[in-house]
Amino acid sequence: MNGKQIIQLAAILGALAVAIGAFGAHGLEATLLKNGRVDTFETAVKYHFYHSLAIFLVGILAVLKPDWRGLNFSAINLLIGIIIFSGSLYILSIFGITWLGAITPIGGVAFILGWLGLFWAMKKNK
């Protein structure tokens, strides 16, 4: 992905975070309360949004420094983290499928790899 594509991805992910958060607060409130998962859903939205912003910042770096290696790795892992971490928590919160909680840490590892990829890109490419 080039910097422009990473920024476009971040824009879509950010819009989805806002839409999912609003839908959870209004359309899913009864379901989340019944399942006792309001806090879990809010955590999913927060991490989704934080990492959408992180992808946006990686995209800006990729526009400014298109030859920097490691930025794609960072963006892809942050995306994988959103899908697995937030996605599993969304499904757990809405449908009560508790075994999905077991894969949530895989998304957390992807987030960590994304941040470490950013560190590596900054260290390696001066």
Side-chain angles (χ1 to χ4, degrees), residues 18-103:
V18 173
I20 291 169
F23 184 60
H26 302 291
L28 295 175
E29 184 177 17
T31 301
L32 297 174
L33 287 170
K34 181 184 82 168
N35 291 341
R37 294 293 183 174
V38 173
D39 290 342
T40 303
F41 194 86
E42 288 176 357
T43 297
V45 173
K46 280 190 240 179
Y47 274 75
H48 182 161
F49 195 67
Y50 297 155
H51 290 89
S52 296
L53 288 173
I55 292 170
F56 176 69
L57 294 173
V58 169
I60 290 172
L61 274 173
V63 166
L64 297 174
K65 302 288 187 178
D67 57 327
W68 278 21
R69 294 183 8 235
L71 294 175
N72 271 340
F73 175 86
S74 179
I76 289 167
N77 275 284
L78 293 169
L79 170 63
I80 290 168
I82 290 170
I83 292 168
I84 297 175
F85 183 91
S86 294
S88 65
L89 292 181
Y90 290 142
I91 294 169
L92 169 66
S93 299
I94 297 166
F95 300 106
I97 302 171
T98 55
W99 66 265
L100 281 173
I103 68 164

Side-chain angles (χ1 to χ4, degrees), residues 7 10 19 43 108 110-111 113 122-123 125:
I7 291 171
T43 297
F111 284 147
L113 289 173
M122 296 300 294
K123 183 169 176 53
N125 302 288

Side-chain angles (χ1 to χ4, degrees), residues 6-18 48 52:
I6 294 171
I7 291 171
Q8 289 172 322
L9 173 64
I12 296 297
L13 291 169
L16 278 172
V18 173
H48 182 161
S52 296

